[in-house]
Amino acid sequence: MRNPLNKVITEIKPSGIRKFFDIVAEMPEAISLGVGEPDFDTPWKVRDEAIYSLERGRTFYTSNSGLKELRVEISDFLERHYGLKYDPIKEMLMTVGGSEGIDVALRAMLDPGDEVLIPQPCYVSYDPCTILAGGVPVPINLKEENDFRLKPEELEAAITDKSKILIMPFPNNPTGAVMEREDLEPIVEIVKKHDLFVLTDEIYSELSYTGKDHVSIASFPGMKERTIYINGFSKSHAMTGWRLGYVCAPEIVIQQMTKIHQFAIMCAPTTSQYAAITAIRDCDEDVANMREEYNDRRRYLLNRFKQMNVKCFEPFGAFYIFPSIAEFGMTSEEFCTKLLKEKEVAVVPGTAFGDSGEGNVRISYAYSLENLKKAMDRIEEFINELRK
Amino acid sequence: MREKILNYIQHNSRIDLADLAMMLGTDKAAVMNELEKMENEHIICGYPTLINWDKTDVEKVSALIEVRVTPQRGMGFDKVAERIYNYPEVDAVYLISGSYDFMVSIEGHTLREVADFVSAKLSPLDSVLSTQTNFVLKKYKDHGIIMAEKNVDEREKVSL
């Protein structure tokens, strides 16, 4: 029989997190701090709206681009929160989570051999999606000494004449790093100088703890026309399972993306879209409450690591903390495996998010204080034993 | 800091104060100091525990009683309320707007005990015009806490 498989996909490695969690799955007693999704339920009024839309029999497809009413609300939201101005009809597409947006944008924009600059550590899908779209991923290894922010010299050094897209994954999974206005300014200059496009994945934009407003790279003068802006409801509104995100981009990009989306997906889930109208219109306070609670847990973890004398830079976004385990002379994977076997606590090796994650582990604080405390007590024991 | 402390202890008065301090970015002594001040100022009035009596062998009956009264000259409703809330059977008394004046929550061991309270103590009060007793059949949620069993973390393992 012939090989039924495509060569490109078979050569892509499965996600490192997956592999690690296969081990965790066999240890029912283990406390996991590994999950990258909110522990909060979706606000009740959003769920209620979904139930209502089902009762009303709204079980049809929506237009390929998504419900117009929802896109109008999102457009208002983006202006209200980040000063972004997007035409809800021509410059926006509702997608099945932010992740579909990433995939479709890369497919719509890359020609074979085009290079995509990917700051790492980062979310696991940019690299394989680039390869599947025929592009070439070029990692930029971010450094802990820079708080895992992208530095202009790091970007310059990675650019070649084949570079086409720069991925901007901030606030960042797994590091929790953010890029503030003064960090973005020099990046914007380089992007323009080299005529690059930016794919900015701002799925965690509502979870920023700097005390200042989140700044989108798309809001800089001259950047809107070269930016693909990705966001969604999963993290901000605790709506992961609803699979709903959106892309804002120049009209010519959205037109081509809509083609791929319509042939592959048809439209984002209808029930989710109706519910999301309430989420985006009426849930600012719910989001603020969740952010506040994440922030308290973030401070708790930071202080615990400080007490343990473990090096940990202060993350200002998302719901991850990324302490350094380099002092223990193990790889991240060895550290996590040993911690899991000896203390039954699951955290994710930094290397699951790129080579530059070596020496760190990702801890998610999308867990109750009770769980965090229990896990941190065990980690403390573990570390004390290692130091003996 | 006050509001944040209150928000946390409102849901869990047994929260570890050292943990709370770490979340708020302060130290335990500062949190204890603030708690003591709020106790003295009677902002914090007590630390009772929410119990689901249905799961114990203890019989409990509770009722919400709507009470219409005549307010007393010069004292308004306060004097009448005091007459009512001083009975140990009375759990809560609220002055409310609407078609009656007080909502009185009472707890007893048996239906008879509650009925006796209403007929022998509450109704005969001079200022009480009428009462309507509503027995509680089932408590679903109290003090923001859903009484049903805690659900487990059902999030599945995904690669992100």
Side-chain angles (χ1 to χ4, degrees):
Chain A
M1 199 170 74
R2 286 196 294 173
N3 181 357
L5 299 172
N6 165 275
K7 218 173 130 196
V8 179
I9 188 64
T10 47
E11 280 168 10
I12 291 176
K13 281 186 295 180
S15 157
I17 313 181
R18 185 74 256 175
K19 201 175 82 187
F20 193 70
F21 274 119
D22 287 342
I23 315 174
V24 182
E26 286 159 26
M27 303 179 68
E29 292 304 308
I31 307 176
S32 170
L33 298 184
V35 178
E37 64 176 314
D39 57 318
F40 298 104
D41 292 332
T42 306
W44 173 251
K45 57 189 152 197
V46 176
R47 289 185 273 159
D48 191 40
E49 199 57 35
I51 294 166
Y52 178 68
S53 90
L54 289 172
E55 280 174 353
R56 287 283 303 269
R58 290 166 170 165
T59 52
F60 36 75
Y61 297 124
T62 67
S63 78
N64 296 121
S65 313
L67 285 175
K68 188 181 158 201
E69 192 187 351
L70 173 59
R71 282 180 287 147
V72 169
E73 288 293 340
I74 290 172
S75 175
D76 284 354
F77 175 90
L78 292 177
E79 187 166 358
R80 191 164 83 230
H81 284 236
Y82 313 121
L84 298 173
K85 289 195 176 104
Y86 281 105
D87 181 333
I89 309 301
K90 294 180 180 152
E91 298 174 324
M92 202 183 289
L93 172 67
M94 299 308 304
T95 54
V96 180
S99 42
E100 188 212 338
I102 296 164
D103 177 37
V104 174
L106 292 170
R107 287 205 267 162
M109 295 173 74
L110 292 177
D111 279 318
D114 284 345
E115 291 179 354
V116 178
L117 302 157
I118 307 177
Q120 288 182 346
C122 67
Y123 170 56
V124 294
S125 90
Y126 310 119
D127 204 276
C129 285
T130 298
I131 296 171
L132 287 169
V136 179
V138 176
I140 302 175
N141 291 321
L142 303 184
K143 298 193 186 76
E144 182 161 19
E145 68 209 54
N146 300 326
D147 285 359
F148 290 105
R149 296 180 191 211
L150 174 62
K151 291 288 162 187
E153 55 278 12
E154 294 171 330
L155 175 57
E156 278 282 9
I159 294 173
T160 71
D161 46 6
K162 292 200 179 111
S163 306
K164 184 165 189 185
I165 299 176
L166 165 66
I167 307 261
M168 286 291 280
F170 299 98
N172 183 273
N173 167 15
T175 64
V178 295
M179 291 284 282
E180 296 182 80
R181 182 173 295 281
E182 53 277 23
D183 302 309
L184 289 170
E185 272 161 3
I187 303 295
V188 164
E189 289 319 307
I190 297 170
V191 164
K192 288 186 192 164
K193 188 172 102 193
H194 293 276
D195 193 20
L196 299 177
F197 294 95
V198 170
L199 190 156
T200 185
D201 182 352
E202 300 185 20
I203 193 80
Y204 291 100
S205 61
E206 285 291 299
L207 303 178
S208 164
Y209 316 105
T210 55
K212 290 177 254 172
D213 287 340
H214 165 81
V215 179
S216 171
I217 194 166
S219 68
F220 285 77
M223 281 306 291
K224 188 184 154 183
E225 49 266 47
R226 49 177 77 246
T227 300
I228 318 304
Y229 175 91
I230 311 254
N231 210 329
F233 295 85
S234 297
K235 316 295 178 171
S236 53
H237 294 78
M239 290 178 71
T240 47
W242 301 71
R243 307 312 306 123
L244 192 63
Y246 51 91
V247 182
C248 302
E251 187 178 356
I252 56 162
V253 180
I254 289 291
Q255 277 172 353
Q256 301 310 316
M257 287 183 66
T258 306
K259 274 203 266 180
I260 303 172
H261 171 79
Q262 90 186 58
F263 296 136
I265 305 283
M266 196 76 79
C267 69
T270 302
T271 312
S272 303
Q273 291 192 59
Y274 276 106
I277 295 172
T278 296
I280 201 102
R281 189 193 280 158
D282 299 327
C283 291
D284 282 7
E285 198 185 327
D286 303 76
V287 174
N289 289 339
M290 290 191 263
R291 174 170 48 236
E292 184 92 4
E293 197 164 335
Y294 285 133
N295 196 10
D296 291 345
R297 299 173 189 173
R298 183 185 72 97
R299 273 193 293 259
Y300 174 75
L301 289 182
L302 268 174
N303 283 316
R304 286 294 303 258
F305 278 116
K306 204 161 135 195
Q307 282 181 354
M308 292 180 211
N309 236 329
V310 169
K311 191 173 145 208
C312 185
F313 86 101
E314 181 166 5
F316 285 105
F319 37 62
Y320 308 106
I321 174 166
F322 204 58
S324 166
I325 50 96
E327 63 163 302
F328 304 107
M330 284 183 252
T331 65
S332 301
E333 201 165 328
E334 284 164 358
F335 181 92
C336 293
T337 311
K338 199 169 156 70
L339 174 63
L340 180 60
K341 292 213 168 115
E342 290 181 12
K343 298 291 171 191
E344 303 204 311
V345 174
V347 300
V348 185
T351 41
F353 309 95
D355 295 340
S356 56
E358 185 55 271
N360 297 77
V361 299
R362 184 189 81 173
I363 292 177
S364 157
Y365 48 88
Y367 290 92
S368 67
L369 177 68
E370 195 188 340
N371 256 311
L372 291 176
K373 187 180 162 83
K374 225 186 280 172
M376 288 305 289
D377 290 347
R378 293 191 194 180
I379 291 175
E380 188 166 8
E381 267 176 41
F382 181 65
I383 280 172
N384 288 339
E385 288 166 21
L386 287 178
R387 279 178 177 155
K388 258 181 210 160
Chain B
M1 178 157 89
R2 277 200 167 189
E3 197 186 326
K4 294 217 64 166
I5 293 177
L6 290 175
N7 278 337
Y8 274 103
I9 62 167
Q10 182 185 10
H11 296 112
N12 178 13
S13 59
R14 296 189 64 195
I15 190 168
D16 185 312
L17 297 184
D19 294 346
L20 182 57
M22 275 198 261
M23 288 197 289
L24 304 181
T26 178
D27 55 42
K28 190 176 167 183
V31 173
M32 288 175 71
N33 185 26
E34 202 59 39
L35 279 173
E36 198 185 318
K37 272 199 224 154
M38 289 193 284
E39 285 166 19
N40 291 338
E41 291 170 40
H42 220 58
I43 293 171
I44 296 171
C45 305
Y47 299 93
T49 303
L50 188 61
I51 297 167
N52 186 356
W53 287 106
D54 291 351
K55 301 207 79 169
T56 68
D57 296 332
V58 182
E59 279 295 319
K60 288 267 184 190
V61 178
S62 50
L64 298 169
I65 307 163
E66 300 162 17
V67 186
R68 284 184 59 229
V69 302
T70 332
Q72 288 183 1
R73 171 173 278 239
M75 306 279 207
F77 288 102
D78 295 353
K79 199 73 201 162
V80 190
E82 193 183 340
R83 290 296 304 271
I84 298 175
Y85 67 61
N86 274 328
Y87 286 110
E89 299 90 328
V90 172
D91 211 35
V93 180
Y94 307 106
L95 177 65
I96 53 179
S97 63
S99 56
Y100 52 98
D101 304 306
F102 289 118
M103 171 64 86
V104 176
S105 162
I106 94 153
E107 208 166 68
H109 289 290
T110 60
L111 214 73
R112 163 78 30 220
E113 209 178 291
V114 174
D116 284 351
F117 173 80
V118 176
S119 58
K121 292 174 177 163
L122 188 59
S123 295
L125 287 176
D126 283 347
S127 13
V128 170
L129 298 174
S130 71
T131 65
Q132 185 167 328
T133 304
N134 308 284
F135 283 99
V136 174
L137 303 181
K138 188 171 178 179
K139 226 183 238 183
Y140 293 98
K141 188 177 179 182
D142 200 357
H143 287 76
I145 291 169
I146 294 167
M147 308 300 272
E149 300 282 338
K150 249 193 198 165
N151 43 3
V152 290
D153 190 345
E154 292 176 316
R155 289 177 287 174
E156 303 208 335
K157 312 294 180 243
V158 289
S159 319
L160 48 71

